[in-house]
Amino acid sequence: MDRILIRGGRRLSGRVPISGAKNAALTLMPCAILTDEPLTLRNLPRLADVDGFGHLLNQLGASTAVEGARAGEFGRVMTVRAGRIASTEAPYDIVRKMRASILVLGPILAREGRARVSLPGGCAIGNRPIDLHLKALEAIGAELEFTAGYVEARAPSGGRLPGGRFAFPVVSVGATENALMAAATARGTTLLENAAQEPEIVDLCRCLVAMGARIDGIGTGRLEVAGVDRLHGATYAVMPDRIEAGSYACAAVVTGGDLMLAGADPADMGATIAGLRQLGATVEEGPEGLRVAMEGRPRPIELSTAPYPGFATDMQAQFMAALALADGASVLTETIFENRYMHVPELARMGADVRVSGRTAVVRGVGELTGAPVMATDLRASMSLVLAGLAARGETQVARVYHLDRGYERLEEKLGAVGADIERVSDG
Ligand code: UD1
């Protein structure tokens, strides 16, 4: 298994190209199921999860053709063509490894009138049930049955979904995405209230509109979808990854560096930018992207995660790495997922002083972190350990690199190019 080796203490400076957003890619790819015409996605990040989703689409009978990046570009172009759906099932083996596979449920059901998808089971960052996905689909007219660890969804008489109205009791990104895709070709109109407003949802809506969907209220929590008879193919560019950009912004903070996050879209990053400024970073928005510079130790802050436009739960672990070095005590509150502090014991091995009580973490900044062998159990937690390693004295080894490969395109290359001493080592 690969490990990442970091010799910390180097100031980072230069330009980091920001890739297409993983979480947008994973909801744009299943849109291809909704049409028999090709959907071409540009600026797709080169990530294990994107490859995994491609394989799932292949299993369903869609073809995927990937062109490499053009010179000077990171993003890839993928054309997905689901001329016909050969299988309406997403099997356990795939869903187990990649939770986002659940996002094929809505589109397969809309296209074929039936779908069978494995229940994802537990997940490292809390229980993560899919009850809201299912309730929203039921409200749009799906009939559900559970057998042998699978959910089977059907449209009445195997035809088109009628459409309907659903008010989400809790904001859910994935459930909103599934419902939107299912509603796009329904017979009637669907109203989604308290829908997620994340920029990735806006990206999904824009792609669906490019395919012929009719959606009102894009960017708000009240989405009205007037079902259309059919969707057509389209070419769509995936939005920049706001979480990747925020993670590299934290790399500038912890190393007292100066990074230009090329291609980042500040419009999607309000809460992160506000947080960075509170930490003491200088953040400048320009035509090329976002410049983040830092001098001295971070200032302590209070932060609570919340659905967009609040502070993203996917940025919590990276901010904690910065706060571990702050000049005072900070308070972080995680309101989205239970059990999302699994980076804490690992950061502690590097000298961080963090006390967790329920959903709250008190982080008492220390003057210095020290390198250590560490491992994490999820993607963003792994990134927080990389950040701590960049700042730490001595050598840090981050194990279980496959977590990072799920969400950070060419991590070592990007960090190495701006001055980090970082390499990937393989144990053979
Ligand atoms: C997506 C993102 C993930 C991010 C999260 C919150 C993708 C592939 N992943 O995950 O990176 O951290 O949004 O911004 O886009 N919930 C239920 N029932 C459900 C669905 C969710 O109770 O059916 C709960 C979850 O347990 C959680 C909360 O709702 O507490 C929010 O989860 P949700 O927004 O659905 O996250 P994901 O879509 O899984």
Side-chain angles (χ1 to χ4, degrees):
M1 246 191 287
D2 291 358
R3 285 168 294 146
I4 295 269
L5 214 77
I6 304 165
R7 281 167 288 268
R10 289 179 162 226
R11 178 176 180 274
L12 303 189
S13 107
R15 181 176 180 277
V16 182
I18 298 306
S19 296
K22 170 181 85 81
N23 286 353
L26 296 180
T27 188
L28 295 174
M29 291 174 75
C31 289
I33 300 167
L34 290 165
T35 172
D36 57 3
E37 295 182 16
L39 175 66
T40 297
L41 296 173
R42 310 189 67 83
N43 198 35
L44 266 189
R46 188 186 287 258
L47 295 172
D49 269 11
V50 169
D51 293 341
F53 215 106
H55 291 146
L56 173 57
L57 293 173
N58 293 149
Q59 287 233 344
L60 303 175
S63 68
T64 47
V66 178
E67 289 167 48
R70 287 181 300 195
E73 266 186 20
F74 273 98
R76 289 187 300 177
V77 179
M78 182 188 282
T79 298
V80 188
R81 192 186 302 257
R84 76 181 189 89
I85 304 294
S87 161
T88 55
E89 176 173 315
Y92 177 61
D93 239 21
I94 294 187
V95 181
R96 178 175 59 89
K97 290 194 210 118
M98 191 178 46
R99 235 190 89 84
S101 314
I102 188 71
L103 295 175
V104 298
L105 178 58
I108 300 177
L109 174 64
R111 172 88 179 262
E112 295 291 301
R114 65 196 166 92
R116 187 168 187 266
V117 174
S118 169
L119 299 170
C123 163
I125 51 173
N127 254 338
R128 300 184 84 175
I130 58 157
D131 57 318
L132 298 174
H133 296 244
L134 302 179
K135 283 183 182 141
L137 293 177
E138 255 181 331
I140 299 171
E143 293 155 4
L144 304 178
E145 234 182 87
F146 298 88
T147 48
Y150 280 74
V151 55
E152 284 190 37
R154 279 175 191 280
S157 346
R160 282 166 70 188
L161 290 164
R165 180 181 173 161
F166 189 68
F168 289 91
V170 175
V171 175
S172 164
V173 174
T176 301
E177 291 167 346
N178 240 331
L180 275 167
M181 290 185 280
T185 56
R187 264 188 282 115
T189 295
T190 297
L191 180 62
L192 302 174
E193 288 171 301
N194 197 28
Q197 301 176 43
E198 266 65 6
E200 292 76 13
I201 303 272
V202 173
D203 220 32
L204 168 62
C205 289
R206 289 192 181 138
C207 180
L208 288 171
V209 167
M211 296 171 71
R214 289 170 51 204
I215 307 173
D216 271 349
I218 295 176
T220 75
R222 189 177 186 281
L223 295 166
E224 197 170 333
V225 186
V228 294
D229 288 346
R230 63 182 300 272
L231 294 178
H232 51 72
T235 296
Y236 191 80
V238 181
M239 64 178 276
D241 197 316
R242 62 194 174 105
I243 307 299
E244 188 200 26
S247 302
Y248 287 116
C250 289
V253 169
V254 296
T255 65
D258 186 344
L259 294 177
M260 166 52 72
L261 311 173
D265 186 353
D268 293 336
M269 296 176 61
T272 296
I273 291 172
L276 291 165
R277 287 187 172 137
Q278 278 183 286
L279 289 175
T282 304
V283 185
E284 286 167 14
E285 303 174 15
E288 202 198 341
L290 200 63
R291 181 175 160 228
V292 181
M294 183 74 183
E295 270 175 39
R297 287 175 72 178
R299 288 199 292 261
I301 60 177
E302 273 193 34
L303 260 185
S304 179
T305 62
Y308 192 85
F311 183 78
T313 174
D314 283 353
M315 283 304 306
Q316 179 256 108
Q318 301 91 312
F319 264 64
M320 187 184 282
L323 295 175
L325 291 160
D327 191 8
S330 303
V331 181
L332 281 178
T333 307
E334 172 59 57
T335 71
I336 309 293
F337 292 110
E338 80 259 35
N339 198 17
R340 206 175 190 181
Y341 284 132
M342 283 163 310
H343 40 292
V344 169
E346 299 301 297
L347 288 173
R349 291 165 46 70
M350 301 178 71
D353 179 354
V354 185
R355 299 285 148 82
V356 175
S357 160
R359 293 189 165 234
T360 300
V362 176
V363 188
R364 291 195 170 76
V366 294
E368 186 179 72
L369 295 172
T370 47
V374 286
M375 66 166 77
T377 43
D378 81 61
L379 168 60
R380 306 304 168 186
S382 301
M383 189 60 185
S384 80
L385 301 177
V386 169
L387 293 169
L390 291 171
R393 180 166 50 81
E395 188 176 286
T396 297
Q397 287 186 31
V398 183
R400 298 191 176 163
V401 172
Y402 54 86
H403 288 300
L404 289 163
D405 292 337
R406 288 186 43 222
Y408 291 93
E409 179 173 2
R410 306 185 208 205
L411 175 79
E412 319 88 270
E413 198 180 315
K414 290 188 186 186
L415 284 171
V418 290
D421 185 346
I422 182 168
E423 63 180 316
R424 179 182 293 245
V425 289
S426 181
D427 294 334

